[in-house]
Amino acid sequence: MKVLCVLGTRPEAIKIAPVITELKFYKRAGIETVVCATGQHREMLDSVLSLFDIIPDYDLDLMKFNQSLGDLTANLLLNLRPVIQREKPDWILVQGDTTTAMVGALAGFYERVKVGHIEAGLRTGDKAHPFPEEINRKIADHICDLHFAPTEIARNNLLAEGIKKASIYVTGNTVIDALHSMIRQPFQWVDSPLAEILADRRIVLVTAHRRENFGEPLENICLALLELVDRYPDIQVVYPVHLNPNVQKMVTKHLAGKERIFLLDPLDYLPFIQLINRSYLVLTDSGGLQEEVPALGKPVLVMRETTERPEAIEAGTARLVGTNRQNIVREVSRLLDDTLAYQQMAQAKNPFGDGHASELIVKAMLAF
Ligand code: UD1
Ligand code: UDP
């Protein structure tokens, strides 16, 4: 059985890496694994690939500065076809909701190759949030032959859209597998980009990069952070800034050089998860962080109007705070001031699996 794994962005690489490791484990049992990196991201992808020891067999190197979604989609489709035609895989595996994942599935379908979707079935029900990911994942799910749903809620979303029960496996999320394997790695704080962060202050870790938050919402987020450092002399904001130019420009304009606000380049995965571990709380619009942060026992406040991960809200590990400045300040203040509210969130049980998702995914493919 030959499996072509397609990945392009930082979160896809992190979440598909444990599956690639697992597939390679089955080499002697006859599974051949081929990796195609689309290079939708460049710097942020390469650091993950080297950490997980993945050397792509193909690198399409498609990132262009501030690339439009249309150009990216067209280039992906054109460049994936020859790889699929040459390798003739039995399966293509895609992960998540990026343009790479959606087009990877479509390119496979056009070449009549079976496609498996890791992290299938996530939905907000709102095509503008997250944009364009809600539609990317719907398209991928309706193309795919096997669906690896992280939770029962994701499975039910698929069933409600008419996807066949027999094609769905509930596996947990592979990000927990990645987290478990990497959090054990040796790490020296003093030799890392984190060395300058003050040891005696509570860390509010921030990430934000969603397209629907570009412009005013991201500006509100920046203003809320300024208000928070002003109000709380015992906190510091640590913000590794995504390389998307729309994010860089706004964040630098408002936050560069401000006291107790550390703007960092995107961190490699290892220092980043160590930073989560040392943080007091996390404020983010990221998808993956809603799964990882609770697994490390920290509260996560989600700066979005809606989430495709309602499990985290139901479990009490995450709270939606939107992008209104006052709301963000109020919700962060609540956790900074109220120990009981903090403990309730920090101690809630993470609903995204036990770190064995990759194993279940490969077994399901073998059984299919
Ligand atoms: C993409 C995904 C999003 C995912 C996010 C994770 C789509 C449509 N969006 O969003 O779902 O949550 O990745 O981070 O697939 N850039 C660099 N270096 C990098 C990465 C990005 O310079 O390593 C810059 C480039 O100018 C690039 C721009 O960021 O054109 C935007 O990258 P793109 O992949 O289009 O979108 P993201 O906003 O990163
Ligand atoms: N991450 C990282 N370095 C950073 C910020 C995030 O390694 O500076 C990791 C994080 O641990 C998570 C993933 O990147 O696994 C999330 O990616 P992102 O927020 O870019 O995408 P999303 O999950 O929203 O699709």
Side-chain angles (χ1 to χ4, degrees), residues 8-12 40-46 63-69 72 97-101 130-133 136 209-211 214 242-247 266 285-287:
T9 65
R10 170 173 68 192
E12 280 169 279
Q40 178 179 333
H41 285 173
R42 189 67 283 163
E43 301 87 335
M44 285 160 55
L45 175 68
D46 292 346
M63 193 185 91
K64 293 206 182 90
F65 181 76
N66 217 3
Q67 183 159 220
S68 77
L69 290 173
L72 175 62
D97 55 16
T98 66
T99 300
T100 287
F131 173 89
E133 290 83 2
N136 281 349
H209 70 84
R210 296 242 80 84
R211 280 166 192 260
F214 289 174
H242 196 283
L243 293 177
N244 193 313
N246 298 285
V247 179
D285 67 6
S286 161

